[in-house]
Each structure stands twice: as C-alpha cells, then as structure tokens.
Amino acid sequence: TAQGVVAFVATNSQAVVFGAPQPDTNYAVHLDWENTGVVAAVTSLTVNGFTVSTSVVYTGNVYYTVSRQVV
C-alpha cells in the first residue's frame, strides 16, 4: 500500500509517476479530495503510474491510496 497527494493548480488532469514500475496494472487507486462539488477519477493506469482527472478545472489536493491484492 502506498499513499500520497496530487496538487492540482488550475488544471483538470495530473499524472502520478511511481518511483519504481509496478509488475502489472492489477492495482487499485482510491481517491479522496477536499471539494465535494468536484468529481475526481482515475482515467489511466499503467505500470509506471496513473492519471487523476477532475470534472472541472481544479485547484486543491487529491489524496490517493494505491493497493494491490496479495494472494
């Protein structure tokens, strides 16, 4: 599990790049943000990271947790 924050400054899309690639894209990203009038979603998953997009141009933080299922 990894956690972090993405700072948006007058934009509606931000990329998060992992320090080391994941072995695959079988991971989940959970988001939490400060503004209930904005919809935030993960719009791209790659082994190198993911993209968070918002429904409008946004200034603020989007917090994330990345997790993988261990079997």
Side-chain angles (χ1 to χ4, degrees):
T1 301
Q3 297 177 328
V5 60
V6 180
F8 280 71
V9 179
T11 188
N12 67 341
S13 181
Q14 285 289 106
V16 174
V17 178
F18 297 133
Q22 295 289 310
D24 54 42
T25 58
N26 293 327
Y27 60 89
V29 181
H30 307 277
L31 303 176
D32 187 24
W33 56 100
E34 302 162 339
N35 188 329
T36 59
V38 173
V39 175
V42 174
T43 55
S44 174
L45 281 178
T46 71
V47 295
N48 295 311
F50 57 93
T51 301
V52 178
S53 298
T54 56
S55 57
V56 296
V57 172
Y58 179 57
T59 297
N61 293 322
V62 175
Y63 302 90
Y64 64 85
T65 302
V66 177
S67 58
R68 298 183 67 85
Q69 182 177 6
V70 178
V71 291

